Coordinates of all heavy atoms in Angstrom, one line a residue:
R171 N -4.0 72.6 -42.7 CA -3.4 73.9 -42.6 C -2.2 74.0 -43.5 O -2.0 74.9 -44.2 CB -3.1 74.3 -41.2 CG -4.3 74.5 -40.3 CD -3.9 75.1 -39.0 NE -3.0 74.3 -38.2 CZ -3.4 73.4 -37.3 NH1 -4.7 73.3 -37.0 NH2 -2.6 72.7 -36.6
D172 N -1.3 73.0 -43.3 CA 0.0 73.0 -44.0 C -0.1 72.9 -45.5 O 0.6 73.6 -46.3 CB 0.9 72.0 -43.4 CG 1.4 72.2 -42.0 OD1 1.1 73.4 -41.5 OD2 2.1 71.4 -41.4
R173 N -1.0 72.0 -46.0 CA -1.2 71.9 -47.4 C -1.7 73.3 -48.0 O -1.2 73.7 -49.1 CB -2.1 70.8 -47.8 CG -1.5 69.4 -47.6 CD -2.5 68.3 -48.0 NE -1.9 67.0 -47.7 CZ -2.5 65.8 -47.9 NH1 -3.8 65.8 -48.3 NH2 -1.9 64.7 -47.7
S174 N -2.6 73.9 -47.3 CA -3.1 75.2 -47.8 C -1.9 76.3 -47.7 O -1.8 77.0 -48.7 CB -4.2 75.7 -46.9 OG -4.7 76.9 -47.3
Q175 N -1.2 76.3 -46.6 CA -0.1 77.3 -46.5 C 0.9 77.1 -47.6 O 1.4 78.1 -48.2 CB 0.5 77.2 -45.1 CG 1.6 78.2 -44.9 CD 2.3 78.1 -43.5 OE1 1.6 77.6 -42.6 NE2 3.5 78.5 -43.4
G176 N 1.3 75.8 -47.8 CA 2.4 75.6 -48.8 C 1.9 76.0 -50.2 O 2.7 76.6 -50.9
F177 N 0.7 75.8 -50.5 CA 0.1 76.2 -51.8 C 0.1 77.7 -51.9 O 0.6 78.3 -52.9 CB -1.3 75.6 -51.9 CG -2.0 76.0 -53.2 CD1 -1.6 75.3 -54.4 CD2 -3.0 76.9 -53.3 CE1 -2.2 75.6 -55.6 CE2 -3.7 77.2 -54.5 CZ -3.3 76.5 -55.6
N178 N -0.4 78.4 -50.9 CA -0.6 79.8 -51.0 C 0.8 80.5 -50.9 O 1.0 81.6 -51.5 CB -1.5 80.3 -49.9 CG -2.9 80.1 -50.2 OD1 -3.6 80.8 -50.9 ND2 -3.5 79.0 -49.7
D179 N 1.7 80.0 -50.1 CA 3.0 80.6 -50.0 C 3.7 80.6 -51.4 O 4.4 81.6 -51.7 CB 3.9 79.8 -49.0 CG 3.6 80.1 -47.6 OD1 2.8 81.1 -47.3 OD2 4.1 79.4 -46.7
H180 N 3.5 79.6 -52.2 CA 4.2 79.6 -53.5 C 3.6 80.6 -54.4 O 4.3 81.2 -55.2 CB 4.1 78.2 -54.1 CG 4.9 78.1 -55.4 ND1 6.3 78.0 -55.4 CD2 4.5 78.2 -56.7 CE1 6.7 77.9 -56.7 NE2 5.6 78.1 -57.5
L181 N 2.3 80.7 -54.4 CA 1.6 81.6 -55.3 C 1.6 83.1 -54.9 O 1.3 84.0 -55.7 CB 0.1 81.2 -55.5 CG 0.0 79.8 -56.1 CD1 -1.5 79.5 -56.3 CD2 0.7 79.6 -57.4
K182 N 2.0 83.3 -53.6 CA 2.0 84.7 -53.1 C 2.9 85.5 -53.9 O 4.1 85.1 -54.1 CB 2.4 84.6 -51.6 CG 2.2 85.9 -50.8 CD 2.7 85.8 -49.4 CE 2.0 84.7 -48.6 NZ 2.6 84.6 -47.3
G183 N 2.5 86.7 -54.2 CA 3.4 87.6 -54.9 C 3.4 87.4 -56.5 O 4.0 88.2 -57.2
M184 N 2.7 86.4 -56.9 CA 2.6 86.2 -58.4 C 1.4 87.1 -58.9 O 0.2 86.7 -58.7 CB 2.3 84.8 -58.7 CG 3.6 83.9 -58.5 SD 3.3 82.2 -59.2 CE 4.9 81.5 -58.8
D185 N 1.7 88.2 -59.5 CA 0.7 89.2 -59.9 C -0.3 88.6 -60.9 O -1.5 89.0 -60.9 CB 1.3 90.5 -60.4 CG 2.1 91.2 -59.3 OD1 1.8 91.0 -58.1 OD2 3.1 91.9 -59.7
G186 N 0.2 87.7 -61.7 CA -0.7 87.2 -62.8 C -1.7 86.1 -62.3 O -2.6 85.7 -63.1
I187 N -1.5 85.6 -61.1 CA -2.4 84.6 -60.6 C -3.3 85.1 -59.5 O -2.9 85.7 -58.5 CB -1.6 83.4 -60.0 CG1 -0.9 82.7 -61.2 CG2 -2.5 82.4 -59.3 CD1 -0.1 81.4 -60.8
E188 N -4.6 84.9 -59.7 CA -5.6 85.3 -58.7 C -6.4 84.1 -58.1 O -6.9 83.3 -58.9 CB -6.6 86.3 -59.4 CG -7.7 86.8 -58.5 CD -8.8 87.5 -59.2 OE1 -8.7 87.7 -60.4 OE2 -9.7 88.0 -58.5
I189 N -6.4 84.0 -56.8 CA -7.2 82.9 -56.2 C -8.6 83.5 -56.0 O -8.8 84.4 -55.2 CB -6.6 82.5 -54.8 CG1 -5.2 81.9 -55.1 CG2 -7.5 81.5 -54.2 CD1 -4.5 81.3 -53.9
V190 N -9.5 83.0 -56.8 CA -10.9 83.6 -56.9 C -11.8 83.0 -55.8 O -12.8 83.5 -55.5 CB -11.5 83.4 -58.3 CG1 -10.7 84.2 -59.3 CG2 -11.6 82.0 -58.7

Side-chain angles (χ1 to χ4, degrees):
R171 290 191 300 266
D172 289 352
R173 286 181 181 176
S174 180
Q175 182 182 332
F177 180 73
N178 283 277
D179 282 352
H180 185 79
L181 297 182
K182 193 183 299 179
M184 290 189 178
D185 295 335
I187 291 183
E188 178 188 359
I189 296 182
V190 295

